[in-house]
Every structure is written in structure tokens, then in C-alpha cells.
Amino acid sequence: QVQLVESGGGLVQAGASLRLSCAASGRTFSSYAMGWVRQAPGKEREFVATISSSGQTTSYPDSVNGRFTISRDNVRNMVYLQMNSLKPEDTAVYYCAAVDGSSPSISVDYYKYWGQGTQVTVSS
């Protein structure tokens, strides 16, 4: 099992950057693929980024591809989401999540462990 705690959210203007961090506890962190999922008010959860347990494979939806970058540090048990060129439509609560396996997943249904979320608000 793994516990996840996100940080780094905030209020920024369009075009700015933010870096979200996710601290994971548990000795088996390096065996989990990880991801970031967001949820805007009144909308369903949306996959944002995923990374394999080794960190060698990543995937993004078209809506953030080229602007967001996911990375991980298996020594420090950390996952990061670098968000550049933010847009108002990126406004949401961002969740760090762990897949129960080593392969990354673009489906939110495969994420077993979730953090409490961090709010990101992008003003126009």
C-alpha cells in the first residue's frame, strides 16, 4: 500500500507555470506506475499524465501534451508534474494516484491509491 500527499497548487495567471509534487510513503513505491488526474467542478475526472514504475515511459492526453511533464524520483519517493503555459481550462483539483502495477495507465479506473488533491486555479 502507498499513501500520497500532493502539494504545489495555487492561483496563477494564464501562461504561467506550476510544479506539483507528490510525496509517497511505502517501501514499494518504485513498483507502482503513477499518474496525475484532475477534476474540474461539475466534470468527470480526467487523466492528465502517467509514468511507468521505472520512469522510462510516459503518456499524456492531447489537451496537455507538450505543456505538462511528469517525472519521478524513486529514491526520494516523489512524483512531479511540471505544468507550463497554463490555461484557464486547466483549472481543477489535481490528484496524484498510483496504479496497482508497473505499467502506466491512461484510464482513471486503474488507479488504486489516491492523494487528497491540490487545487490549481488559472485566471485569464
Side-chain angles (χ1 to χ4, degrees):
Q1 190 171 355
V2 60
Q3 289 78 43
L4 306 169
V5 179
E6 304 94 334
S7 61
L11 171 63
V12 297
Q13 291 188 330
S17 297
L18 272 178
R19 187 196 196 202
L20 304 183
S21 298
C22 174
S25 62
R27 291 177 292 177
T28 58
F29 168 75
S30 61
S31 66
Y32 294 102
M34 299 295 296
W36 289 92
V37 175
R38 68 186 180 188
Q39 188 166 25
K43 295 187 177 181
E44 295 185 351
R45 293 178 300 177
E46 177 189 15
F47 157 73
V48 174
T50 186
I51 189 167
S52 62
S53 58
S54 67
Q56 292 186 336
T57 303
T58 59
S59 184
Y60 309 89
D62 291 342
S63 57
V64 307
N65 195 28
R67 299 189 297 122
F68 289 13
T69 302
I70 188 172
S71 61
R72 68 187 296 161
D73 183 336
N74 284 346
V75 174
R76 294 179 172 83
N77 282 13
M78 296 290 296
V79 180
Y80 305 100
L81 184 67
Q82 178 66 44
M83 305 186 293
N84 299 329
S85 303
L86 283 162
K87 305 175 181 180
E89 51 264 43
D90 294 320
T91 296
V93 176
Y94 283 71
Y95 297 91
C96 175
V99 178
D100 191 12
S102 61
S103 298
S105 176
I106 64 172
S107 172
V108 299
D109 295 335
Y110 285 92
Y111 289 90
K112 184 174 182 178
Y113 304 107
W114 294 79
Q116 83 288 350
T118 185
Q119 177 70 45
V120 172
T121 303
V122 184
S123 63
S124 57

